[in-house]
Amino acid sequence: MAITAKGRATRQRIIEGAAAYLRSDDPAGVTLDDIRAITGTSKSQIFHYFPDGKEELFLAVARYEAGRVLDDQQPHLGALTSWAAWDRWRDAVVARYRTQGRNCPLGALMSQVGSTAGANEVVSALLSRWQFHVQEGIAEMQDAGLVRASVDADRVAAAFIAGIQGGVQVLRSTGSVAHLEAALDTLIDHLKG
Amino acid sequence: MAITAKGRATRQRIIEGAAAYLRSDDPAGVTLDDIRAITGTSKSQIFHYFPDGKEELFLAVARYEAGRVLDDQQPHLGALTSWAAWDRWRDAVVARYRTQGRNCPLGALMSQVGSTAGANEVVSALLSRWQFHVQEGIAEMQDAGLVRASVDADRVAAAFIAGIQGGVQVLRSTGSVAHLEAALDTLIDHLKG
DNA sequence: ACCACGGTGGACCAGCCGGTCCAGAAAACC
DNA sequence: GGTTTTCTGGACCGGCTGGTCCACCGTGGT
């Protein structure tokens, strides 16, 4: 049997409960007991489903949250084929992080789990996929003759990723999305030439 | 006497020792005992000079590190009056963070101290000063007729800050300065028109 | 020389937190 | 129905960590 449906449900409940907690409260000092209380489980269950304890659980939550990041930007991110699409994407990104406010689930996770190899891998993979979509969008715009060919799609896509990440980080400190908007608008302006 | 020269020296030794520790080792779980050991002091001294304990000490270290950030970019950052100057500044920033590698002292501090009002204030002040210098540079380039007047200096300066912050954050995850370079180069390209 | 006050050392403590363990309930399989 | 395996509850623990306390030392002023 290995793992029953009930077990899988409990495991998922723990992940989603932890994710919800990270998203709401001040997640500076999340403790296993907090998660236990919120998810209505017991210590033994956490260690039953995540034998390596805190680190394994947090990594699972990080993967779960990382998946949501790109999903929240769809379908815009996957079809950056017109200036209108770019604008919609820009608005979706800004809206998402404005709603999120200072509480960045992934950022909080990274603060907690530190700089373990696994955590870095999750973030790197997310950023890589993200950048790939932007790069594809730039390339398609170039193919359509809407962006000049001299633009280095890979490099500018990397600049977008950096700008977004930095904008979000500034948001976490200052509570303002101005920098995020400035980065996106300036880079889109740059594409427009 | 209130506070003697010896006392001031000890206080400074604690701050600099803590800063050095944050810069070298994996600073995920810095403890007061670590700092005590490294600085060759005792618990009572730490609480003597920083009555509010860990938070006050870390805030002092954050202020100390924040001061260094802009200093490391001088004199370039203060005189962005030619394209050559911009390039030198760009190189200085990249060099600084390439040397620093994954260990970002301020980032580590922020992870530790969480999102207290004081910490946010220190970071906000730093970013604000940083952005001001960039904005001044853009304005001077515009006055000299080297950058078109249609550029919104304030907005592009904000994009620079976001791009740099994001580039550094990506560096912390992936160990590569590529994103930082991409952000700086793309934004400078944008200024060049 | 003396004294007062700041500087220093380090033992000590209380609470928290990740992690262990075992006993019992529930479910799956025969 | 019985047995085996998984799921669940919760008591328990060991050690770490921020913080306290007090006794002693060093220094500066007079």
Side-chain angles (χ1 to χ4, degrees):
Chain A
M1 42 181 109
I3 197 173
T4 68
K6 190 179 179 187
R8 228 174 304 122
T10 300
R11 191 190 139 99
Q12 194 61 20
R13 182 156 44 93
I14 294 175
I15 291 180
E16 287 175 14
Y21 185 85
L22 277 262
R23 231 175 292 125
S24 61
D25 282 38
D26 175 65
V30 205
T31 167
L32 289 186
D33 244 42
D34 294 333
I35 297 173
R36 185 195 55 71
I38 286 205
T39 60
T41 53
S42 63
K43 269 287 189 59
S44 65
Q45 297 186 62
I46 294 181
F47 282 86
H48 184 66
Y49 294 109
F50 306 93
D52 283 347
K54 201 182 189 187
E55 189 175 323
E56 189 180 351
L57 167 58
F58 278 26
L59 223 58
V61 176
R63 270 189 274 267
Y64 174 79
E65 285 290 353
R68 297 176 59 109
V69 171
L70 294 191
D71 287 351
D72 284 359
Q73 297 174 48
Q74 297 297 5
H76 317 299
L77 179 59
L80 296 171
T81 54
S82 70
W83 292 124
W86 281 83
D87 285 346
R88 281 195 300 273
W89 172 61
R90 183 220 102 114
D91 290 344
V93 171
V94 172
R96 183 224 153 98
Y97 285 105
R98 176 177 279 132
T99 302
Q100 188 172 281
R102 293 182 128 95
N103 300 111
C104 180
L106 263 181
L109 251 344
M110 286 298 288
S111 293
Q112 290 279 318
V113 82
S115 48
T116 65
N120 284 335
E121 204 267 333
V122 170
V123 172
S124 295
L126 166 64
L127 295 182
S128 175
R129 266 182 294 147
W130 201 340
Q131 183 172 333
F132 172 77
H133 283 118
V134 175
Q135 185 186 336
E136 285 284 291
I138 297 175
E140 284 179 41
M141 294 295 277
Q142 286 178 318
D143 287 349
L146 295 167
V147 167
R148 61 195 181 287
S150 63
V151 165
D152 183 339
D154 189 39
R155 178 161 284 242
V156 176
F160 264 98
I161 298 305
I164 293 170
Q165 289 303 109
V168 171
Q169 190 168 307
V170 174
L171 166 63
R172 290 185 72 194
S173 281
T174 68
S176 152
V177 291
H179 284 74
L180 177 59
E181 291 180 317
L184 285 167
D185 291 341
T186 301
L187 289 170
I188 291 176
D189 272 0
H190 181 63
L191 287 180
K192 285 180 177 167
Chain B
M1 33 181 114
I3 196 172
T4 69
K6 190 180 180 189
R8 229 175 304 123
T10 299
R11 191 190 138 98
Q12 195 61 19
R13 182 157 43 93
I14 293 175
I15 291 180
E16 287 175 13
Y21 186 85
L22 279 260
R23 231 176 290 124
S24 60
D25 283 37
D26 174 65
V30 205
T31 167
L32 289 186
D33 245 41
D34 295 333
I35 297 174
R36 184 196 56 70
I38 285 205
T39 59
T41 53
S42 63
K43 269 287 191 57
S44 65
Q45 297 187 63
I46 294 181
F47 281 86
H48 184 65
Y49 294 110
F50 306 94
D52 282 346
K54 202 182 187 185
E55 190 174 324
E56 188 180 353
L57 167 57
F58 278 26
L59 224 60
V61 176
R63 270 188 274 266
Y64 173 79
E65 285 289 354
R68 297 176 57 108
V69 171
L70 295 191
D71 287 351
D72 285 359
Q73 297 173 48
Q74 298 297 6
H76 317 298
L77 179 59
L80 295 171
T81 54
S82 70
W83 292 124
W86 281 82
D87 285 345
R88 281 196 298 273
W89 172 61
R90 183 220 102 116
D91 290 344
V93 171
V94 172
R96 183 224 153 99
Y97 286 105
R98 175 176 278 132
T99 302
Q100 188 172 280
R102 294 182 128 96
N103 300 109
C104 179
L106 264 181
L109 250 345
M110 286 298 288
S111 293
Q112 291 277 320
V113 83
S115 49
T116 65
N120 283 335
E121 203 268 333
V122 170
V123 172
S124 295
L126 166 63
L127 295 182
S128 175
R129 265 182 295 145
W130 201 340
Q131 182 172 334
F132 172 77
H133 282 117
V134 175
Q135 184 186 336
E136 285 284 292
I138 296 175
E140 284 178 40
M141 294 295 277
Q142 285 178 320
D143 287 349
L146 294 167
V147 167
R148 62 195 182 287
S150 63
V151 165
D152 182 340
D154 190 39
R155 177 161 284 242
V156 176
F160 264 98
I161 298 306
I164 293 170
Q165 289 303 110
V168 172
Q169 189 167 306
V170 174
L171 166 62
R172 290 185 73 196
S173 282
T174 68
S176 152
V177 290
H179 284 74
L180 177 60
E181 292 181 315
L184 285 167
D185 291 342
T186 301
L187 288 170
I188 291 176
D189 271 359
H190 181 64
L191 287 180
K192 286 179 175 168

